């Protein structure tokens, strides 16, 4: 009789405290590049972006910031485009002074419906709890992207799923 009561528990209880999300998608294998330079080098990077555009090299992840300390940029390119990207970077020595490269990198994109700030806090906690590298975070009105080690995408997502409710029949992450 006690077992029957356990089985009659509300299935919604398993979702208690979880945040509804519209979906999760993984990127293909990427190379993550982080640059830091004097603010005067920003023009060089603008030219680099134009070169990427002219040669059809997509940047699935891009963020930049200018502060009193200088200029900072972080971006990802597909692994297949890395050699071309590297040759363009080598052509601009001022962009190579403080260059960090993380490879292989990957992006976990989460499409939240609501509660995006709550979702962001939970996912950042997962990265901390898992001691997983977080190369960058970008948000938009429809999604939040977390850039990390490509080999950790599945493990991190398993932990993130403990905090999310995904739609039934969700498409594969890859």
């Amino acid at each position: 009789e006690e077992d029957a009561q356990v089985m009659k528990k509300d299935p919604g209880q398993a979702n208690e405290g979880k945040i509804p999300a519209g979906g999760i998608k993984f990127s293909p294998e990427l190379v993550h590049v982080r640059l830091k330079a004097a603010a005067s080098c920003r023009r060089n990077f603008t030219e680099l972006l134009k070169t990427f555009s002219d040669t059809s090299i997509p940047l699935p992840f891009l963020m930049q910031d200018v502060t009193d300390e200088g200029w900072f940029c972080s971006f990802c390119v597909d692994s297949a485009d890395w050699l071309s990207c590297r040759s363009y970077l080598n052509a601009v020595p001022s962009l190579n002074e403080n260059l960090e490269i993380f490879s292989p990198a990957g992006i976990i994109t989460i499409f939240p419906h609501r509660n995006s700030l709550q979702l962001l806090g939970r996912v950042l906690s997962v990265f901390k709890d898992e001691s997983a590298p977080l190369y960058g975070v970008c948000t938009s009105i429809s999604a939040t992207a977390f850039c990390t080690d490509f080999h950790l995408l599945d493990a991190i997502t398993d932990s993130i799923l403990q905090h999310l409710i995904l739609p039934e029949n969700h498409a594969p992450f890859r």
Side-chain angles (χ1 to χ4, degrees):
E1 192 175 309
E2 201 172 304
D3 288 337
Q5 286 180 341
V6 169
M7 293 182 76
K8 289 182 184 178
K9 279 189 175 180
D10 180 9
Q13 286 180 338
N15 292 331
E16 192 173 319
K18 291 187 175 186
I19 301 167
I24 295 177
K25 181 145 178 59
F26 291 169
S27 73
E29 188 173 321
L30 305 168
V31 175
H32 182 91
V33 178
R34 191 180 295 164
L35 305 164
K36 184 177 179 184
S40 60
C41 293
R42 186 173 183 201
R43 184 168 183 243
N44 293 340
F45 184 70
T46 302
E47 290 299 318
L48 182 68
L49 288 179
K50 184 176 178 341
T51 301
F52 289 166
S53 175
D54 291 347
T55 57
S56 300
I57 295 178
L59 300 175
F61 185 91
L62 171 67
M63 57 187 208
Q64 64 176 338
D65 190 20
V66 178
T67 67
D68 292 340
E69 296 176 17
W71 169 79
F72 169 82
C73 179
S74 181
F75 65 91
C76 289
V77 295
D78 191 283
S79 294
D81 294 323
W82 171 239
L83 291 178
S84 297
C85 174
R86 183 65 184 168
S87 69
Y88 299 137
L89 281 167
N90 287 339
V92 187
S94 63
L95 296 179
N96 284 283
E97 293 171 8
N98 289 302
L99 180 69
E100 293 179 279
I101 299 164
F102 303 92
S103 179
I107 299 172
I108 301 169
T109 303
I110 302 175
F111 302 92
H113 282 289
R114 294 176 286 281
N115 303 315
S116 58
L117 283 178
Q118 187 180 18
L119 174 90
L120 179 63
R122 297 247 187 119
V123 174
L124 290 175
S125 292
V126 166
F127 275 89
K128 180 181 177 258
D129 294 346
E130 298 290 326
S131 298
L134 184 58
Y135 305 144
V137 177
C138 287
T139 62
S140 72
I141 196 161
S142 63
T144 304
F146 302 88
C147 186
T148 189
D149 183 309
F150 182 77
H151 297 299
L152 299 176
L153 294 181
D154 290 309
I156 293 168
T157 300
D158 286 345
S159 294
I160 290 171
L161 288 173
Q162 295 175 25
H163 302 279
L164 298 181
I165 302 169
L166 293 177
E168 288 186 34
N169 302 318
H170 184 279
F173 299 148
R174 294 188 196 276

